[in-house]
Amino acid sequence: MTTRTLREFLADPAGDGKPAARELATLIEAISDSCRTISYLVSRGALAGVLGSAGTGNVQGEEQKQLDILANDELMAMAKASGVVAAAASEEEDEARPITEGSPYLLLFDPLDGSSNIDVNVSIGTIFSVLPARGGEHAFLQPGRNQVAAGYCVYGPQTTLVLTFGSGVVAFTMDPPTGQFVQTGTNIRIPEKTKEFAINMSNMRHWADPVRAYVDECLAGDTGPRGKNFNMRWIASMVADVHRVLTRGGLFMYPWDKREPGKPGKLRLMYEANPMSLLVEQAGGKSFDGNHRILDIQPTSLHQRVSVMLGSKEEVEVLEKKHSAS
Ligand code: P6P
């Protein structure tokens, strides 16, 4: 396969000779530059003295790691330097930040998802979502189907940037000697069938009945109604779990549970569920919250949470049937 750099891809994303919109190409390249910087910091870890707690908490009520803050600051500085971001919102900051008035895009991100894994050297990642800028105080509160672009960068054995502009999913692997992001995935498709599910099983007693019934059938394997054995994975890093689903199929679930019944779920809609759902749907998968397609949810607040079940089309449809029958 003739390899293309990210810049070469952006010059002709659809292969029709037409370049990506100039401002969008500028933003995506700027995001990739920040991901390179974050990847370097993550890879140095203890050597750079960046592991461990920052001794502060975020709007989610979670303890912030030093790398959470460093990644957040890197992305906010990038947003400003890009000149194409009207405002930016982060999991790590209570309010959205005005950046460059009159610019075409709103940028949202989880700067370092899965950060509980940082100190134990397990894959983590940056998740980003790009919305069209619009006026008013509720500019960010747009459904996920409005996204102009979405993606993540997983910092694992490879540093890989996966993104979509709404016309399929592509992947770029960073070549360490040069720092270049080189295309390694084109028109990525999620297998419709799978035998692999991902959920935190320690929460089993708290799940809603449809989720419990679905997982029980998976556990019954070839002796049960599904007639096949299943495998389970849980990395506790959404970026890593979703990257596996995009790469070989599977079903990722972080559903609502009874521990905090008033909370719709753990994951955040705007900068975790929406970007991942656009990627999954663009790769032929599905993503819902137990009642609705996630990309159709009309947000009511920047940091709202949502129940997430996404991945291989056939498995999501099995789960959808259990929810509609309940
Ligand atoms: P638990 C990481 O903190 C995160 O937001 C997601 O990346 C991940 O899927 C989930 O939480 C893990 O949650 O409850 O299993 O630790």
Side-chain angles (χ1 to χ4, degrees):
M1 174 173 97
T2 51
T3 56
R4 287 199 295 183
T5 63
L6 177 60
R7 176 166 294 181
E8 287 164 344
F9 166 78
L10 291 168
D12 184 8
D16 58 5
K18 295 191 186 113
R22 183 177 53 79
E23 296 90 345
L24 186 58
T26 298
L27 179 54
I28 297 299
E29 273 214 70
I31 290 170
S32 74
D33 291 342
S34 286
C35 291
R36 182 183 304 109
T37 300
I38 295 166
S39 174
Y40 177 71
L41 274 174
V42 165
S43 69
R44 296 210 62 226
L47 296 174
V50 294
L51 298 183
S53 170
T56 52
N58 63 18
V59 64
Q60 325 289 341
E62 293 164 344
E63 175 203 38
Q64 289 176 306
K65 304 280 191 180
Q66 288 187 79
L67 272 171
D68 285 324
I69 294 175
L70 290 169
N72 181 73
D73 294 351
E74 164 60 36
L75 288 161
M76 283 295 183
M78 172 278 296
K80 186 163 184 58
S82 74
V84 297
V85 175
S90 167
E91 178 190 76
E92 300 303 334
E93 299 193 6
D94 301 10
E95 305 293 330
R97 274 200 221 181
I99 305 286
T100 308
E101 193 172 349
S103 295
Y105 301 121
L106 301 176
L107 177 65
L108 304 95
F109 49 82
D110 179 355
L112 207 55
D113 173 69
S115 46
S116 61
N117 284 322
I118 295 173
D119 296 348
V120 294
N121 199 13
V122 171
S123 299
I124 49 184
T126 296
I127 310 172
F128 62 89
S129 171
V130 182
L131 287 168
R134 66 181 195 187
E137 62 174 312
H138 301 303
F140 279 88
L141 301 186
Q142 303 180 43
R145 63 175 181 267
N146 284 15
Q147 290 174 101
V148 174
Y152 61 79
C153 191
V154 54
Y155 311 115
Q158 299 96 42
T159 288
T160 300
L161 178 69
V162 178
L163 65 92
T164 183
F165 293 159
S167 310
V169 179
V170 289
F172 298 83
T173 299
M174 190 179 80
D175 186 7
T178 64
Q180 280 275 22
F181 280 95
V182 179
Q183 190 164 6
T184 48
T186 301
N187 192 27
I188 291 169
R189 303 298 291 172
I190 299 175
E192 291 202 5
K193 297 177 182 297
T194 184
K195 295 178 181 176
E196 196 159 67
F197 67 93
I199 193 166
N200 183 334
M201 294 292 286
S202 70
N203 300 325
M204 179 180 267
R205 66 187 183 282
H206 305 303
W207 297 335
D209 293 345
V211 173
R212 178 67 193 260
Y214 172 81
V215 173
D216 282 345
E217 287 184 1
C218 291
L219 297 177
D222 56 10
T223 66
R226 300 302 306 276
K228 62 181 182 178
N229 294 324
F230 282 75
N231 190 24
M232 193 221 101
R233 287 283 184 275
W234 190 250
I235 305 174
S237 171
M238 185 186 195
V239 172
D241 279 313
V242 172
H243 188 70
R244 186 191 56 255
V245 168
L246 276 166
T247 305
R248 72 184 190 208
L251 181 65
F252 170 87
M253 296 171 275
Y254 210 115
W256 170 92
D257 68 47
K258 300 167 191 160
R259 286 176 292 172
E260 294 181 80
K263 231 162 89 173
K266 173 177 185 181
L267 303 180
R268 294 79 173 179
L269 174 63
M270 299 301 294
Y271 40 79
E272 290 176 332
N274 273 342
M276 291 311 202
S277 296
L278 184 63
L279 287 162
V280 164
E281 286 199 2
Q282 282 293 312
K286 294 187 83 173
S287 177
F288 83 127
D289 72 348
N291 295 305
H292 308 98
R293 176 186 181 232
I294 282 183
L295 292 181
D296 286 338
I297 294 173
Q298 175 53 52
T300 53
S301 68
L302 187 61
H303 298 290
Q304 76 183 64
R305 297 173 189 263
V306 66
S307 173
V308 181
M309 292 165 275
L310 58 79
S312 292
K313 184 170 180 290
E314 182 181 277
E315 278 318 295
V316 174
E317 289 173 347
V318 170
L319 202 45
E320 283 175 333
K321 286 192 184 78
K322 290 197 178 303
H323 279 80
S324 50
S326 67

